[in-house]
Amino acid sequence: MAPQRSPTLQQQQSASVAHASASASPERSLLEEELESSRRMLHALTQVHADLVSQGDPQVLFEQLLALVLELTRSQYGFIGEVLRSPEGTPYLRAHAIIHITPSGELRTHLAASPEEARAVYDLQTLPGTVLTSGQPVRANGLALEPHPQGFPVDYPLLQSFLGLPFKAFGELVGMVGIANRDEGYPESLIEFLQPLLITCGNILHAWRNDTRRQEAEQALRLQQEKMKKLALVAARTSNAVIITDAQGLTEWVNEGFTRTTGYTLEEVRGRRPGDVLQGPGTEARDVETMRQALRRGQGVSVELLNYTKAGDPYWNLIEIQPVHDEQGKLVQFVAIESDVTPRRHLEQQVALSVERLQLALESAEDGMWDWDLRTGRLTVSPRWLSMLGYALGELDPSPGFLREKLCHPEDRAELDRRMLEHQEGRSPMYEFEHRLRHKSGRWVWVLGRAKVVRRDKQGQPLRIVGTNVDITSRKHAQERLKAFIQAIPDMIFQVRADGTCLGFKASTLDAPLMSPEQFIGKSLYTLPLPEPVLAQLRRGLIGVLTGSPLEVFEYAVDTPAGPQHYEARIVRSDTDEAMCIVRNITERKATEEQRRRHAEELEERVRQATRELESRQAQLIQSEKLASLGQMAASIAHEINNPVSYVSSNLGTLEDYISVLRRLLALYLQVEQALEAQPPEAVAGLLQQTRALREHERLEELLGDLDDLLGDAKEGTTRIREFIQGLKTFVREESGEPQLSDLNKGVMMTLRMLRHEFKHKCEVQCDLAPLPLLRCFPTQLNQVFMNLLLNAVQAIEQRGEIRVSSRQEGNEAVVRITDNGPGMSEETLSRIFTPFFTTKPAGQGTGLGLSICYAIINSHKGRIEVRSQLGQGTTFSVHLPLITE
């Protein structure tokens, strides 16, 4: 239902004019006009209170009230505003509703088009400012001010008269109503008239402020609750231990991290001091006292302590404690965050131990160390340096000149001088050079020399150089042997840097080289006249081994005058930014692989052909087995069909005799009826006597009673014939190419009905079939499996026995078990029962394919067939089929 609305402005004016014209007395008209205005005012205020409850938007309500006030007071424009205060406490006015006459003469709402500044009055020297500062009504008539007084928008009309009325809420100045330009000015009585309006405005602002404060408080509460939830979640899930105590240091709460670290639960430590629980004999008393002194002063503290878990295991704990104060600054809690720093402590201990070991290693190092003071020219060498050249301590006191002239190989001196000078001048970060030194015995020792300037003067001139010499003679000899070994490899080998620069090259001994080694070494392989695909693969291989791959292999082909040649390239990393590439001609291998591929395809085609032939023959064997089974069932079929046909035929003959008697009786009844119409009662009595005698002699009531039973037997016989024939047709029909949903229990029951004659004289069949879901399968193939297993069970029973058939759902499988209490089988027989053409029956009584065909059928259904048997204890065949319906 739409809310009721007050009359429109035109309707109210028309009603007022009509009412005024109907009165002859001016005083009465004035009184009636005032009464009408009061009525309209009260009605509007009532409606505003209702709208305040339903809408809650003060701006809309103020606009409605302001429009009504301007109409009732016949003012040109006005405003309703809220009194606010600046941070310094100075009041200012913020308008919620402004209505005035624009230059075009249209009534509009000023708030919709004015900026924020136009809605506020800050100047307290204006008429509205006087109301704000005094808190009293301000009435001004006959004004002759400047065209645009301060505090009003510039597009307002000239100010002729003004009435400013403050309104309060619970004694507090909360707003004011201002109206202007009433032609006859504003009398004192108008202030009293507008008092209900002022009360209503105060109530609206007070309610709106309360609602705003409530919403802000609710929002702040929600934000605080969310923050507390997040903090609680962080504290609960952090790996660090968090403890909250009261101001006296007694535990109030711990998180799960504390329990994981210490083994103590919240219930075990609540109300206890953490130190009483965690500290032990190894805890440093000085650190504990430092922490306690800080807590007594209500200060935060950070300290590392050795604590103990509930199990007594020690661990190092970094504790950071911060005090928590309430709004009045009173200490209420301590929050401690504890981090297990045991791994760091252990690491520090390991580092200290490593430093000690490093010192010992340097003292016992195999490297020969030397120290050259350039200011004095003194060269100091270590004992290891002397022993590396065969000298004992004191036998040799080398100087730099002696070292160069007497010990250094003549071929290495120039390069040694160049590299040393380059490092001394700062053009290289370190001196490094492999060269030869003369041993005391006269042989040459290869050494790797490394050195670094460790002190320079203010001008950058070197003052001291420290270096080492490592005996690399064995490595050099190994490199020479490796070089000889590489030369013996027939493949092409080259060493390449990451940017493609060839560092070393050995041509293949099997292929004519495309270019000489000099054309490779020092050149970028990417600029050589090589096929672009080969270069792209080489680039990818280099990137691969230099970024972590242990080996990159690719093949490529090159057209040569002798025809296409195939190559295999193997790339391994040899240094930080270097790799070794071995290229081998694999043309013959490719030809061999192609020949093998063709042979493999031919062999696969032959296998597929043989498989197709085998599947065809297997289908023929299955069909042959069906026909063989049908031959064994011939006697059963004849017996099962003859019996119902015989008793149906006999019953129908008897029924024919009964019907003939009924016909004779009916004929006599007809004669009686005729006699009753034409003969005297004596003749009727005789006929009735004969009829009664015949009915008694032939026992007509018994005949009629047997008639229903005979007809029921005939129906049952015909039903059995239909079921048997339908089962026979189902068993012998050809299987379609697509599996279908089938009830496994129905297939078992149909097979049992077809073999009823086989069971009748040799055994009793006990069925225990549990409900099974529909199975997607080939039903006739599974029926053949059940047929073969049941026939084997019957044939295994020598005289009289029992066969139990059960079905169950076991997990994701349907299981059918067929158990007989026959003589059982030996271990040798069990190992061969699924072998084609194996049979234990006398010659001419079995093909040996029944169980092998059963095995193949179940295997094609992704199932399995199991057998359990012992001599003298019978045999159980279990057929497991997966319950997959799609």
Side-chain angles (χ1 to χ4, degrees):
M1 179 181 294
Q4 296 181 356
R5 299 183 179 273
S6 59
T8 64
L9 182 61
Q10 290 84 354
Q11 292 173 342
Q12 294 171 352
Q13 290 176 344
S14 299
S16 299
V17 172
H19 185 75
S21 61
S23 176
S25 172
E27 294 80 3
R28 182 177 181 182
S29 297
L30 180 59
L31 180 59
E32 290 177 351
E33 183 179 352
E34 291 177 354
L35 291 175
E36 178 63 18
S37 298
S38 300
R39 185 192 65 79
R40 290 181 58 193
M41 175 70 74
L42 293 176
H43 176 75
L45 296 179
T46 303
Q47 186 64 36
V48 164
H49 279 88
D51 292 343
L52 177 62
V53 175
S54 61
Q55 297 179 6
D57 187 355
Q59 181 173 328
V60 176
L61 302 178
F62 284 147
E63 289 175 355
Q64 295 176 0
L65 289 176
L66 183 58
L68 179 63
V69 170
L70 293 180
E71 179 187 353
L72 295 178
T73 62
R74 295 188 296 278
S75 300
Q76 289 186 357
Y77 65 94
F79 63 86
I80 298 179
E82 179 183 6
V83 176
L84 302 173
R85 294 188 180 274
S86 66
E88 295 78 15
T90 304
Y92 67 93
L93 184 69
R94 182 179 180 273
H96 283 287
I98 299 177
I99 298 179
H100 67 100
I101 303 297
T102 63
S104 61
E106 297 177 354
L107 185 66
R108 66 184 180 93
T109 301
H110 184 68
L111 288 178
S114 299
E116 184 69 22
E117 294 77 5
R119 300 169 58 184
V121 176
Y122 295 97
D123 191 351
L124 300 180
Q125 301 303 318
T126 60
L127 291 175
T130 304
V131 178
L132 299 182
T133 55
S134 66
Q136 300 296 326
V138 173
R139 186 165 54 90
N141 296 321
L143 296 175
L145 302 177
E146 63 271 16
H148 302 291
Q150 292 180 351
F152 294 92
V154 296
D155 58 347
Y156 277 28
L158 295 177
L159 188 65
Q160 301 297 331
S161 56
F162 174 78
L163 177 61
L165 301 175
F167 55 85
K168 301 181 180 180
F170 297 94
E172 178 188 0
L173 179 64
V174 295
M176 69 170 291
V177 176
I179 53 179
N181 286 9
R182 188 172 186 263
D183 292 340
E184 58 272 28
Y186 294 99
E188 185 73 25
S189 60
L190 196 57
I191 298 176
E192 184 66 27
F193 172 74
L194 294 176
Q195 285 303 312
L197 170 69
L198 299 179
I199 295 174
T200 300
C201 290
N203 292 337
I204 291 175
L205 265 182
H206 179 72
W208 178 69
R209 285 182 174 182
N210 286 342
D211 187 61
T212 301
R213 285 193 292 267
R214 179 184 58 80
Q215 293 178 359
E216 292 175 350
E218 291 177 352
Q219 180 66 18
L221 179 60
R222 284 194 296 270
L223 293 176
Q224 183 67 17
Q225 290 175 345
E226 291 295 328
K227 182 178 179 181
M228 294 302 296
K229 288 181 180 178
K230 292 178 180 178
L231 291 176
L233 182 61
V234 171
R237 297 188 177 181
T238 182
S239 59
N240 294 336
V242 179
I243 306 173
I244 299 179
T245 69
D246 59 13
Q248 287 71 41
L250 301 179
T251 303
E252 293 182 342
W253 181 83
V254 297
N255 69 339
E256 295 180 2
F258 177 86
T259 302
R260 287 193 300 269
T261 302
T262 66
Y264 291 101
T265 63
L266 175 60
E267 289 72 17
E268 293 174 319
V269 299
R270 181 184 281 119
R272 303 173 64 183
R273 297 183 183 277
D276 297 341
V277 177
L278 302 177
Q279 296 169 11
T283 306
E284 184 66 39
R286 181 179 55 187
D287 295 335
V288 174
E289 183 60 26
T290 300
M291 179 177 63
R292 289 177 177 173
Q293 291 295 336
L295 298 182
R296 290 191 187 101
R297 295 191 298 268
Q299 298 175 347
V301 65
S302 177
V303 65
E304 280 190 15
L305 293 178
L306 180 64
N307 285 346
Y308 294 84
T309 66
K310 184 178 180 181
D313 299 326
Y315 68 97
W316 282 97
N317 198 18
L318 173 61
I319 308 173
E320 296 182 0
I321 306 176
Q322 293 296 330
V324 179
H325 300 84
D326 59 13
E327 295 179 354
Q328 288 75 33
K330 179 182 178 182
L331 178 66
V332 293
Q333 287 177 327
F334 287 101
V335 176
I337 300 178
E338 301 184 351
S339 304
D340 187 353
V341 295
T342 304
R344 177 172 63 78
R345 279 281 188 162
H346 289 169
L347 181 60
E348 291 174 353
Q349 295 174 359
Q350 292 175 1
V351 169
L353 182 60
S354 298
V355 171
E356 181 181 358
R357 290 174 178 173
L358 179 59
Q359 185 65 31
L360 295 175
L362 289 175
E363 294 176 357
S364 60
E366 292 295 324
D367 297 351
M369 303 182 63
W370 52 268
D371 188 344
W372 184 13
D373 190 341
L374 297 179
R375 294 173 299 179
T376 63
R378 179 176 177 79
L379 180 64
T380 304
V381 296
S382 67
R384 170 58 187 160
W385 192 94
L386 292 171
S387 64
M388 185 172 57
L389 298 180
Y391 294 98
L393 189 63
E395 289 186 348
L396 183 66
D397 188 13
S399 64
F402 179 82
L403 175 64
R404 181 183 183 281
E405 299 297 333
K406 299 299 182 180
L407 299 181
C408 185
H409 196 286
E411 297 178 359
D412 300 335
R413 291 171 187 167
E415 183 64 19
L416 185 148
D417 293 340
R418 187 189 67 80
R419 295 197 181 196
M420 182 60 72
L421 180 61
E422 184 181 59
H423 174 60
Q424 290 180 11
E425 293 177 350
R427 290 183 285 121
S428 64
M430 185 176 184
Y431 160 80
E432 184 173 357
F433 182 50
E434 293 180 0
H435 60 93
R436 288 160 286 186
L437 295 177
R438 188 185 297 276
H439 194 269
K440 181 179 179 181
S441 63
R443 64 183 177 87
W444 294 104
V445 177
W446 278 95
V447 297
L448 170 61
R450 292 191 178 95
K452 190 175 183 64
V453 175
V454 296
R455 186 180 303 167
R456 295 179 183 271
D457 59 16
K458 295 181 179 180
Q459 289 74 32
Q461 296 300 317
L463 301 177
R464 182 185 176 192
I465 302 177
V466 176
T468 62
N469 281 23
V470 183
D471 188 349
I472 60 172
T473 305
S474 299
R475 193 188 78 184
K476 276 293 185 179
H477 292 167
Q479 289 177 349
E480 292 175 357
R481 290 193 295 269
L482 178 61
K483 183 177 181 181
F485 173 76
I486 291 176
Q487 291 298 327
I489 298 175
D491 301 327
M492 180 176 67
I493 303 175
F494 59 89
Q495 189 176 12
V496 62
R497 194 180 289 130
D499 60 0
T501 303
C502 183
L503 304 177
F505 178 83
K506 187 196 80 68
S508 172
T509 60
L510 301 178
D511 299 324
L514 298 177
M515 290 180 289
S516 64
E518 292 74 16
Q519 293 175 294
F520 276 96
I521 297 177
K523 305 293 180 60
S524 175
L525 297 179
Y526 303 141
T527 62
L528 296 178
L530 297 175
E532 181 59 32
V534 177
L535 296 177
Q537 289 179 301
L538 176 62
R539 185 180 289 107
R540 287 195 295 270
L542 283 175
I543 294 174
V545 297
L546 294 178
T547 55
S549 176
L551 174 67
E552 291 289 335
V553 181
F554 66 89
E555 297 179 1
Y556 64 93
V558 177
D559 291 330
T560 67
Q565 297 293 308
H566 296 270
Y567 296 91
E568 178 188 73
R570 291 176 173 265
I571 306 176
V572 295
R573 181 177 177 179
S574 60
D575 205 342
T576 304
D577 61 342
E578 297 176 3
M580 191 73 70
C581 183
I582 302 175
V583 180
R584 173 172 297 179
N585 191 321
I586 59 171
T587 303
E588 294 183 2
R589 192 186 78 185
K590 279 291 185 180
T592 303
E593 290 177 353
E594 178 63 21
Q595 185 177 7
R596 289 178 179 175
R597 187 188 62 78
R598 290 197 299 268
H599 289 169
E601 290 180 352
E602 294 175 359
L603 182 59
E604 289 178 359
E605 181 59 30
R606 291 177 183 176
V607 170
R608 285 193 292 269
Q609 182 65 27
T611 302
R612 288 193 293 268
E613 293 178 0
L614 181 61
E615 290 176 350
S616 176
R617 292 178 182 178
Q618 183 179 10
Q620 293 175 4
L621 286 174
I622 293 174
Q623 191 64 21
S624 299
E625 183 66 19
K626 288 183 180 180
L627 296 177
S629 301
L630 288 176
Q632 295 178 10
M633 291 188 299
S636 298
I637 294 173
H639 181 79
E640 290 295 334
I641 292 179
N642 287 335
N643 282 344
V645 169
S646 297
Y647 63 70
V648 168
S649 179
S650 175
N651 289 342
L652 290 176
T654 304
L655 182 61
E656 185 179 2
D657 293 340
Y658 288 173
I659 291 175
S660 65
V661 174
L662 293 176
R663 286 178 178 173
R664 291 166 56 193
L665 183 59
L666 291 174
L668 289 176
Y669 274 118
L670 291 175
Q671 293 179 9
V672 169
E673 290 177 359
Q674 293 175 359
L676 288 174
E677 291 178 356
Q679 295 184 4
E682 290 79 4
V684 172
L687 291 173
L688 290 175
Q689 185 177 2
Q690 292 179 13
T691 302
R692 187 179 298 109
L694 178 61
R695 185 175 66 251
E696 294 174 354
H697 181 267
E698 298 294 340
R699 297 193 299 273
L700 183 59
E701 290 79 2
E702 295 180 9
L703 296 180
L704 294 176
D706 291 342
L707 186 60
D708 293 337
D709 295 337
L710 294 175
L711 291 176
D713 291 343
K715 291 180 180 179
E716 182 182 355
T718 56
T719 300
R720 287 179 58 187
I721 292 173
R722 285 196 302 271
E723 290 178 353
F724 185 78
I725 297 301
Q726 182 64 33
L728 183 61
K729 290 169 63 179
T730 301
F731 183 80
V732 300
R733 73 166 179 254
E734 289 290 340
E735 196 73 76
S736 63
E738 296 294 332
Q740 54 186 293
L741 291 175
S742 176
D743 188 343
L744 211 59
N745 288 335
K746 287 185 178 180
V748 172
M749 293 303 300
M750 183 188 72
T751 306
L752 288 172
R753 285 196 298 269
M754 295 182 65
L755 296 176
R756 186 182 300 148
H757 181 67
E758 297 287 339
F759 303 144
K760 183 177 298 183
H761 303 293
K762 294 190 67 176
C763 61
E764 294 183 359
V765 179
Q766 302 293 333
C767 289
D768 182 14
L769 304 181
L772 295 175
L774 296 180
L775 182 69
R776 187 168 293 279
C777 61
F778 295 97
T780 58
Q781 292 185 11
L782 295 182
N783 291 343
Q784 182 177 354
V785 172
F786 301 144
M787 175 76 74
N788 287 342
L789 296 179
L790 288 170
L791 284 176
N792 286 347
V794 173
Q795 294 168 1
I797 297 175
E798 296 176 352
Q799 295 181 355
R800 187 74 181 175
E802 181 182 82
I803 296 177
R804 296 189 300 276
V805 182
S806 66
S807 65
R808 293 288 186 276
Q809 178 177 349
E810 298 179 0
N812 294 327
E813 292 183 331
V815 182
V816 177
R817 291 185 173 87
I818 298 175
T819 304
D820 65 72
N821 60 354
M825 292 182 283
S826 65
E827 293 293 335
E828 179 183 1
T829 302
L830 281 174
S831 64
R832 302 178 59 191
I833 58 173
F834 295 115
T835 303
F837 305 108
F838 172 77
T839 180
T840 58
K841 298 176 183 177
Q845 295 188 12
T847 63
L849 293 176
L851 288 178
S852 64
I853 291 175
C854 292
Y855 183 87
I857 291 174
I858 298 303
N859 188 58
S860 67
H861 282 76
K862 308 299 181 183
R864 66 184 190 279
I865 182 170
E866 299 175 351
V867 59
R868 185 178 69 253
S869 179
Q870 291 185 6
L871 289 175
Q873 297 186 14
T875 302
T876 299
F877 282 89
S878 301
V879 176
H880 298 255
L881 295 169
L883 291 173
I884 301 176
T885 58
E886 296 298 332

